[in-house]
């Protein structure tokens, strides 16, 4: 069955340090991949998405992610973390079955804490 | 654009009462989704609509839950009767066919 795995439940980084959040997917075809961020008490905001083409995608707030088919991964990166990046991050994949798309499957999320 | 609008933002009710959550999708979006978020189960898709028609309701936990979309600009998620285990944050999201879903701020439901 299609699934998304975020192996890190909680990560703490120092402000200014680099960040990488891991995401692995299990999916037979080429997936549509997303990263969302959720600040406390807020809804989910789309950071970036991958549908096709260049495997390195740029998103908002200085984030980027790289699709690696050989590793079934879509890791999120940021070169220098800001305190305002503290939030929960969700990786997601769209299921495509019978031509009908749009059913998002979310990972369990990674909670990011930023130390001053 | 105002984004996806949900109401109420917070709801506290007693067990056995009927609860109705409301959602206004972004104008022009033809897909609407209802999700539930809990600590134990994370984000779960409950149901989604395309052009006001329910496409997949396999995530609806049981018959106490029902969802409707009478027109392109309004949807409801109803729980009747509510139970304490229904306490969660319920999100509505909408999208065009590009698959990018836009989420509302959520409704935090507490059932006592």
């Amino acid at each position: 069955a299609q699934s998304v795995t975020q192996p890190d439940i909680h990560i703490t980084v120092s402000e200014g340090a680099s960040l990488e959040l891991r995401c692995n997917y299990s999916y037979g075809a080429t997936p549509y991949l997303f990263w969302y961020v959720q600040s406390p008490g807020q809804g989910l905001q789309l950071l970036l998405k991958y549908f096709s083409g260049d495997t390195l995608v740029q998103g908002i707030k200085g984030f980027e992610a790289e699709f690696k088919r050989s590793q079934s991964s879509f890791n999120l990166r940021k070169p220098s973390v800001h305190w305002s990046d503290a939030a929960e991050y969700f990786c997601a994949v769209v299921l495509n079955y019978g031509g009908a798309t749009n059913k998002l499957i979310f990972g369990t999320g990674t909670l990011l804490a930023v130390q001053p | 654009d105002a984004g996806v609008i949900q109401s109420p933002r917070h709801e506290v009710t007693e067990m056995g009462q009927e609860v109705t959550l409301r959602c206004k999708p972004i104008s022009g979006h033809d897909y609407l989704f209802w999700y539930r978020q809990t600590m134990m189960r994370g984000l779960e898709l409950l149901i989604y609509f395309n052009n006001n028609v329910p496409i997949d309701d396999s995530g609806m936990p049981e018959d106490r839950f029902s969802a409707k979309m009478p027109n392109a600009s309004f949807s409801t998620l109803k729980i009747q009767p509510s139970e304490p285990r229904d306490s969660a944050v319920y999100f509505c999201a909408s999208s065009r066919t590009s698959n990018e879903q836009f989420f509302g701020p959520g409704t935090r439901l507490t059932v006592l």
Side-chain angles (χ1 to χ4, degrees), chain A residues 3-81:
Chain A
S3 66
V4 177
T5 303
Q6 293 181 246
D8 304 305
I9 296 173
H10 188 275
I11 284 182
T12 300
V13 299
S14 298
E15 191 169 15
S18 63
L19 171 70
E20 182 168 26
L21 302 182
R22 296 183 290 165
C23 173
N24 293 95
Y25 65 91
S26 170
Y27 190 59
T30 299
Y32 293 170
L33 294 158
F34 305 80
W35 275 99
Y36 283 85
V37 60
Q38 184 179 28
S39 297
Q42 303 296 314
L44 280 77
Q45 181 183 22
L46 181 69
L47 283 176
L48 48 79
K49 60 188 177 185
Y50 172 77
F51 288 173
S52 64
D54 192 346
T55 56
L56 183 63
V57 294
Q58 302 296 322
I60 61 171
K61 303 184 180 185
F63 285 92
E64 67 177 26
E66 186 170 12
F67 170 61
K68 293 185 177 180
R69 184 187 303 276
S70 61
Q71 299 177 18
S72 297
S73 70
F74 189 58
N75 294 349
L76 182 71
R77 300 194 295 250
K78 186 170 185 177
S80 177
V81 170

Side-chain angles (χ1 to χ4, degrees), chain B residues 33-102:
Chain B
F33 307 81
W34 283 102
Y35 291 88
R36 179 172 67 176
Q37 185 178 38
T38 61
M39 289 292 292
M40 291 297 294
R41 301 175 67 90
L43 270 162
E44 303 174 277
L45 176 65
L46 300 177
I47 185 172
Y48 79 94
F49 295 83
N50 179 217
N51 292 322
N52 313 336
V53 176
I55 302 300
D56 184 346
D57 65 354
S58 60
M60 296 286 262
E62 47 196 279
D63 292 346
R64 296 185 297 107
F65 285 70
S66 63
K68 294 182 179 179
M69 192 164 186
N71 57 62
S73 59
F74 184 65
S75 176
T76 60
L77 178 67
K78 186 175 293 186
I79 308 173
Q80 166 63 16
S82 58
E83 296 182 3
R85 61 192 168 118
D86 301 330
S87 298
V89 181
Y90 291 81
F91 288 103
C92 177
S94 70
S95 74
R96 298 178 191 272
T97 55
S98 63
N99 298 302
E100 180 178 337
Q101 295 183 23
F102 294 83

